[in-house]
Amino acid sequence: MKQSHSNTRPLFISLSTILFLSLAGCWSSHEIEEQSLGIGLAFDKAKQSAIEKKLNEQGEGYSKRNLITATYQFITPQVASSTTNQSGPQKKSYVNVSETGDSLHQMVREISLRSEQPVTAHHMKVVVISEELARSYKLGQLLDQNLRESELRPSCLVFISKGRASKTLETKKAGEIPAFRLAGIVENAYRTTRILPPMSHIKVESKITSGSSFLIQKVLSVDGQVKFAGAAVIAGKTHKMTGTLDEEELEGVTWITGKGKGGVVKSFDKETGQQIVYEIESMKSSIVPRVEADSISFDVNIESVGRLSENWVVSGDSFNNEFLKKAEKSSEKEVERLVGNALKKMQKEYKTDVAGFGNRLRIEQPKVWKKVKKDWDQTFSETPINFDVKLTINDYGASGGAKK
């Protein structure tokens, strides 16, 4: 027994030492308050900042082509805490730094020559790519370094901007952090059908690998403010931006996919011309492929349950079954219009399937899919699509009854 005890003691000491060191924190790393946390990144067509120009004029520089300008948004815990606690006029709680070149990895390393604080990307929230750049380069090229970078989270969101992407990382509101603002707006999808499901880095990579066409949320920026406005159409064959869907066309796609979490439908009463607003409580959609010989078609069945949230009709009883049926039909026609316009844009103008029709065919008719997947977007553009919309009003809000 004594001998056995003495043999286990060294093992106990070594394990204790390891445990102690593991609890000692990142003793060989930089303190968090000494680091620059990268939280946002914007890619634009090359346009050197005034600082860059002056530095390049005075420095020796390095061999590069000025193709892309990357703007990095940083935040340090020190800046954030001082901004929150100070009285009087508040300073910006973030810093934007731009670098122009041709290698995205080289550009971020170049920033290490301008700041003593190590740059980390563990907390990167968003990457915004300008429309001009997305039309010129494949997304895989622009995001390649990010996708290979182990520091950057796969959940980091991707957006396309109209105009300079760097403008979306600016704000005039004290204490606001633009990268967090963009990520936060995505959470409002339960309020509107005009916000796409989050398009993360990992999802973009998956789409690129599969060769599928897809959508990325577009964002506008004006005077430090931003707005989600439609979507960019990314073609599966080229992996480049081929066009846009406006806000209403994006609504149509949301109804087709059934991925909406909430929103409203505004229609007009046929007799009075007054508006009726239907609020979505739930929606679902089924895309059913039909194959007969070599002919492919689809049936889209859309259903939703919601409430009458606004009624401008001068006369009529909001609780009257006849009126409710009329309100449902009016709202259904509006959804049909949205869906029809979205399908027309996808099939006739861009010839790209960004609503998942090909995926349903792949799942339900795998043998047929193997025959058509190579040129699916072209086949999709010529495929008949029938759709049926059924809306049900089951709630009338807090008021109702006969109009006076």
Side-chain angles (χ1 to χ4, degrees):
M1 285 293 289
K2 199 170 185 178
Q3 181 67 31
S4 175
H5 179 74
S6 63
N7 286 341
T8 60
R9 188 177 180 185
L11 178 62
F12 173 76
I13 293 174
S14 62
L15 288 175
S16 299
T17 304
I18 292 171
L19 181 61
F20 173 77
L21 291 175
S22 68
L23 294 175
C26 301
W27 57 272
S28 63
S29 301
H30 294 275
E31 296 296 331
I32 189 160
E33 65 268 16
E34 296 175 354
Q35 297 189 42
S36 286
L37 306 181
I39 55 172
L41 176 57
F43 292 140
D44 286 298
K45 189 173 181 180
K47 183 180 180 182
Q48 287 188 317
S49 66
I51 294 295
E52 279 188 278
K53 289 179 180 178
K54 291 179 180 179
L55 289 172
N56 289 335
E57 288 173 1
Q58 298 183 40
E60 296 298 327
Y62 66 98
S63 178
K64 64 174 180 175
R65 297 167 296 165
N66 288 334
L67 301 178
I68 297 172
T69 294
T71 300
Y72 303 86
Q73 183 159 101
F74 299 115
I75 181 174
T76 65
Q78 286 178 328
V79 173
S81 61
S82 64
T83 302
T84 303
N85 297 329
Q86 72 178 4
S87 58
Q90 288 188 325
K91 297 179 180 179
K92 287 184 177 180
S93 52
Y94 64 93
V95 175
N96 288 350
V97 179
S98 295
E99 187 68 34
T100 302
D102 52 6
S103 165
L104 300 175
H105 200 180
Q106 190 177 46
M107 287 152 65
V108 71
R109 292 300 173 87
E110 190 73 6
I111 293 177
S112 299
L113 302 176
R114 298 166 58 180
S115 173
E116 78 282 5
Q117 294 176 320
V119 176
T120 64
H122 297 296
H123 301 279
M124 190 69 71
K125 297 295 183 183
V126 300
V127 172
V128 187
I129 302 170
S130 72
E131 180 178 319
E132 186 177 16
L133 213 58
R135 289 182 184 274
S136 303
Y137 295 92
K138 295 181 178 181
L139 281 189
Q141 293 174 316
L142 295 171
L143 297 176
D144 180 75
Q145 197 271 321
N146 286 354
L147 294 171
R148 294 175 186 273
E149 178 58 68
S150 59
E151 279 190 359
L152 195 140
R153 294 179 179 179
S155 59
C156 178
L157 302 179
V158 181
F159 299 95
I160 301 291
S161 73
K162 184 173 183 179
R164 301 289 293 181
S166 60
K167 295 294 184 182
T168 67
L169 296 183
E170 296 177 0
T171 182
K172 293 182 179 179
K173 186 177 180 181
E176 185 174 56
I177 300 175
F180 292 166
R181 175 180 61 184
L182 288 174
I185 294 176
V186 174
E187 301 299 321
N188 291 334
Y190 73 101
R191 307 288 287 178
T192 174
T193 49
R194 299 180 183 184
I195 296 180
L196 283 169
M199 182 56 71
S200 63
H201 266 66
I202 194 68
K203 286 184 180 179
V204 171
E205 183 180 27
S206 175
K207 294 290 186 181
I208 291 173
T209 303
S210 68
S212 303
S213 297
F214 60 100
L215 298 175
I216 295 181
Q217 188 81 53
K218 278 194 68 179
V219 57
L220 308 179
S221 58
V222 178
D223 294 332
Q225 298 189 38
V226 296
K227 180 189 177 184
F228 282 12
V233 178
I234 310 299
K237 280 193 173 182
T238 66
H239 301 160
K240 295 180 181 179
M241 178 178 168
T242 189
T244 62
L245 299 183
D246 64 25
E247 293 182 54
E248 286 194 347
E249 290 160 350
L250 177 53
E251 281 189 278
V253 173
T254 300
W255 281 103
I256 292 171
T257 61
K259 293 183 179 179
K261 297 180 179 180
V264 297
V265 177
K266 182 180 70 177
S267 63
F268 294 90
D269 180 63
K270 189 175 180 180
E271 295 178 5
T272 65
Q274 296 296 324
Q275 63 190 27
I276 297 171
V277 180
Y278 169 89
E279 183 178 14
I280 302 162
E281 292 184 355
S282 67
M283 73 160 64
K284 61 180 180 179
S285 173
S286 62
I287 298 176
V288 183
R290 307 290 184 189
V291 180
E292 295 181 8
D294 293 329
S295 177
I296 301 173
S297 64
F298 290 93
D299 291 338
V300 182
N301 300 304
I302 298 169
E303 296 182 17
S304 174
V305 174
R307 61 191 288 268
L308 181 65
S309 67
E310 198 172 348
N311 175 22
W312 286 60
V313 179
V314 176
S315 60
D317 187 346
S318 296
F319 293 145
N320 182 275
N321 284 335
E322 185 178 344
F323 173 79
L324 292 176
K325 291 296 181 184
K326 188 164 64 171
E328 288 172 347
K329 291 297 179 184
S330 177
S331 300
E332 286 171 356
K333 286 187 178 297
E334 174 59 12
V335 173
E336 289 170 359
R337 183 186 73 84
L338 294 171
V339 170
N341 288 346
L343 286 172
K344 183 178 179 180
K345 200 68 171 283
M346 287 189 287
Q347 289 189 293
K348 305 307 176 186
E349 186 168 344
Y350 298 137
K351 301 183 188 303
T352 53
D353 172 18
V354 293
F357 288 92
N359 190 48
R360 292 311 309 171
L361 183 65
R362 177 186 64 81
I363 293 171
E364 298 189 25
Q365 299 282 351
K367 292 182 179 179
V368 176
W369 173 248
K370 285 183 179 180
K371 296 179 182 179
V372 299
K373 67 177 183 178
K374 185 177 180 180
D375 295 308
W376 172 244
D377 277 342
Q378 180 60 41
T379 302
F380 167 75
S381 69
E382 303 167 353
T383 299
I385 298 176
N386 306 303
F387 56 90
D388 179 71
V389 180
K390 176 63 176 176
L391 305 186
T392 302
I393 295 174
N394 71 343
D395 188 6
Y396 325 105
S399 65
K403 297 284 182 180
K404 296 182 180 179

